[in-house]
Amino acid sequence: MKSERIDRIELMNTFIRIIESGSLSAAAVQMNTTQATVSRRLKSLEALLGSKLLLRTTHAMKLTDDGERCYQHAKTVTGHWMMLEDDVRNAEDEPVGTLRIRAPHAFGQEQLIAPLTQFLQQYPRMNVEWLLNDKAPLFISENIDCAIHVGAQPDPSTISVLLAEVPRIVVASPGLLQHYPPAHKPEDLASLPWVALSTFYQQEVVLKRTANGESRAFAIAPRLSTDSLYAVRETVLAGLGVGIVSAWIVASDLAQGRLVQVLPQWQAAPLPVWLVYPYSRYYPARLRKFLDLMREIMPGLMGMQPPEKAKKSRS
């Protein structure tokens, strides 16, 4: 009897994944199985319920009325099953299973590997799939549990927890600056060659005076535009142009004189760092513990500042 119940939960999970991913083939990829297995499970669920759940053609898939009811009930049943598993197997709230996390490339490689490693060492029954990508997460189609997002507030339909903010500064190589007159105000920077981080600025730069929040904007014509923070840092180091970067990524370059901060009293607006995850009736211990970790360590990472301090600095 126990194996039958497990099979039924598996059938419902497969049906949910088919609907949320949009196809049997996508569901198979997400579940690390074959399309034939997914198709067989769908047929088994339909046979068990005695009803057609999906209408499929070559190019489309549509839920039947019974399929819609099955989907809603399956979400509830599988959610309660997850709660039961956690309660019975994990009375001490120890995280188990796999957590799929999306993080930005540079930030995910440089800042978060050490705390992530410590986290996994603390919870040996848990695994993490660490996916580095600067694009906005697609939680359902990509089967992602949560994402670390840097920049504007994500989709309001998700839950977004503000963790910290990243100061951004203007930097250049000493060699480059030797060929241009000293800059005394933001507008003086317009005549310099630029490297643009296309995710956040391309044809215009906006800087704020740290003392009073006064804002100045000026146009730029970048020698290079890129979506990689690493590429901006490397080309600025090489003397190609001036760039705006997250302060943490050039901390050692500034300390060792490879780069200098230009007009340090003027900075770009700091970037908020969010932990984002889809709404659910139930969150497993592995997600709750990871959220606790991010809240604890993020404001203390190199170059970060707490959201409260950042908000006060802009007021």
Side-chain angles (χ1 to χ4, degrees), residues 109-143:
Q109 287 179 241
E110 296 286 340
Q111 292 278 61
L112 297 176
I113 289 298
L116 178 65
T117 300
Q118 294 173 1
F119 180 67
L120 288 170
Q121 290 171 340
Q122 182 179 358
Y123 299 112
R125 298 173 60 196
M126 182 179 162
N127 307 309
V128 165
E129 291 188 34
W130 192 241
L131 310 169
L132 299 182
N133 192 310
D134 293 322
K135 297 179 181 179
L138 301 173
F139 291 104
I140 292 175
S141 62
E142 297 178 343
N143 196 24

Side-chain angles (χ1 to χ4, degrees), residues 29 50 58 79 92 99 115 129 131 163-164 259 269 272-273 275 313:
V29 171
T58 305
E92 297 181 357
L99 190 66
E129 291 188 34
L131 310 169
L163 300 171
L259 292 176
V273 182
L275 183 68
S313 69

Side-chain angles (χ1 to χ4, degrees), residues 13-31 35 38 42 54-63 71 138-143:
N13 274 328
T14 301
F15 183 62
I16 291 169
R17 189 51 49 202
I18 292 170
I19 303 309
E20 294 186 347
S21 67
S23 69
L24 273 69
S25 58
V29 171
Q30 291 185 7
M31 301 183 75
Q35 184 172 340
V38 170
L42 173 61
L54 282 178
L55 298 176
R56 288 184 289 157
T57 66
T58 305
H59 304 291
M61 181 180 74
K62 182 180 179 181
L63 280 170
Y71 172 67
L138 301 173
F139 291 104
I140 292 175
S141 62
E142 297 178 343
N143 196 24

Side-chain angles (χ1 to χ4, degrees), residues 109-265:
Q109 287 179 241
E110 296 286 340
Q111 292 278 61
L112 297 176
I113 289 298
L116 178 65
T117 300
Q118 294 173 1
F119 180 67
L120 288 170
Q121 290 171 340
Q122 182 179 358
Y123 299 112
R125 298 173 60 196
M126 182 179 162
N127 307 309
V128 165
E129 291 188 34
W130 192 241
L131 310 169
L132 299 182
N133 192 310
D134 293 322
K135 297 179 181 179
L138 301 173
F139 291 104
I140 292 175
S141 62
E142 297 178 343
N143 196 24
I144 296 170
D145 295 302
C146 65
I148 296 165
H149 175 78
V150 178
Q153 186 165 7
D155 184 347
S157 66
T158 61
I159 296 176
S160 305
V161 180
L162 182 59
L163 300 171
E165 288 191 321
V166 186
R168 293 189 299 158
I169 59 177
V170 183
V171 294
S173 70
L176 174 73
L177 295 179
Q178 288 177 0
H179 300 289
Y180 295 89
H184 300 289
K185 57 185 184 298
E187 292 82 352
D188 295 338
L189 301 179
S191 61
L192 299 178
W194 275 82
V195 176
L197 184 61
S198 57
T199 315
F200 298 112
Y201 67 100
Q202 297 186 55
Q203 305 301 323
E204 183 183 64
V205 167
V206 179
L207 300 178
K208 289 188 176 183
R209 188 191 292 270
T210 55
N212 58 14
E214 177 189 356
S215 180
R216 298 279 184 87
F218 54 91
I220 61 171
R223 297 291 314 283
L224 173 73
S225 294
T226 175
D227 62 356
S228 168
L229 185 58
Y230 281 133
V232 172
R233 173 182 173 268
E234 291 300 319
T235 51
V236 171
L237 278 168
L240 182 65
V242 182
I244 295 175
V245 295
S246 300
W248 64 265
I249 202 169
V250 292
S252 62
D253 299 316
L254 294 171
Q256 297 178 32
R258 293 189 295 266
L259 292 176
V260 295
Q261 184 175 353
V262 182
L263 293 181
Q265 68 273 30

Side-chain angles (χ1 to χ4, degrees), residues 74-119:
K75 292 278 285 186
T76 300
V77 170
T78 55
H80 284 297
W81 179 259
M82 290 173 62
M83 293 174 64
L84 176 60
E85 283 188 324
D86 268 9
D87 284 344
V88 173
R89 297 181 181 177
N90 196 25
E92 297 181 357
D93 204 34
E94 180 185 355
V96 297
T98 299
L99 190 66
R100 288 174 54 86
I101 306 168
R102 167 75 65 80
H105 263 289
F107 200 55
Q109 287 179 241
E110 296 286 340
Q111 292 278 61
L112 297 176
I113 289 298
L116 178 65
T117 300
Q118 294 173 1
F119 180 67

